[in-house]
Every structure is written in C-alpha cells, then in structure tokens.
Amino acid sequence: MFQNSSFSIWSPIYDNIFNAYLFLNARRRIFEEISFNNREKVLFVGVGTGVDLELIKHFDLEITAIDLSTDMLKKAMEKYENTSITFLEMDAQNMEFNNESFDYIVGSWSFL
C-alpha cells in the first residue's frame, strides 16, 4: 500500500537529489531522443515535483501530469502555475482516462 507520508518527507529535497548530477544527465538524454510535435497529448505518470517537465518544450503540448503524492504534486503545480499543464492527484494503477487518450506516456522515476 502506498504511503503518501513518505513522499511528504521527500518533497522538500527531491529536486536537490533527482534534478542534479547523474540523474539529471540521464533524464536529459532520454528527452533529447524524444521529438514531441505541436499539440500532441502527453501524460506524465508520477510527475513528482515536475523535474521532467523542465526538460521539454511544454508550451506547444497538451500535458496532463498525475501523481499520487499530494505534497509532490503541490510542488510541481507551484513551478508551473502559469502554464496550461493539467495536474491531477491520481493513482497510476487506477487511471481514469479513456484508452488512446495520449500520444505519449512518460513514467520516469516512479515509485510504488
């Protein structure tokens, strides 16, 4: 069973660890290889604090970002409050989307 409280502890320091050094370089390489096109629909599963969103040109995409952790999601929402990104608190094991709703689904560094 998911423990939301464990991510409450991680949320203040998550970016300092997972948005630096080897983690950042690995994530950069992944997103350099993906060529998103304008208006494509992208789902970020386990978006956390939104560190992956920093690595793409998100203004031309229809992005939905989900996470089960309230605290992690709040940090992502604060970073991208002036964007059109839709943030939803949702369990990735019980997503509420129709089949084929997205052109891409990204799920990097998601933990159960």
Side-chain angles (χ1 to χ4, degrees), residues 9-55:
I9 295 167
W10 275 99
S11 64
I13 61 169
Y14 186 88
D15 287 2
N16 294 333
I17 297 168
F18 291 100
N19 203 22
Y21 312 110
L22 294 175
F23 291 109
L24 177 59
N25 290 334
R27 289 184 12 266
R28 276 189 182 142
R29 284 194 308 268
I30 290 168
F31 288 105
E32 285 173 357
E33 294 179 13
I34 300 173
S35 180
F36 296 113
N37 295 312
N38 291 346
R39 306 312 309 159
E40 284 186 311
K41 295 179 182 179
V42 182
L43 172 64
F44 279 82
V45 177
V47 73
T49 63
V51 293
D52 285 343
L53 297 172
E54 298 171 12
L55 301 174

Side-chain angles (χ1 to χ4, degrees), residues 51-93:
V51 293
D52 285 343
L53 297 172
E54 298 171 12
L55 301 174
I56 64 168
K57 296 178 183 174
H58 53 79
F59 297 108
D60 294 332
L61 301 171
E62 291 183 39
I63 295 176
T64 301
I66 68 167
D67 205 290
L68 188 55
S69 168
T70 304
D71 291 314
M72 298 288 261
L73 199 57
K74 282 181 185 177
K75 292 203 59 104
M77 291 169 71
E78 289 170 4
K79 288 180 188 177
Y80 299 97
E81 65 184 347
N82 296 319
T83 69
S84 63
I85 299 170
T86 301
F87 291 96
L88 302 170
E89 189 172 328
M90 187 181 297
D91 184 346
Q93 296 180 78

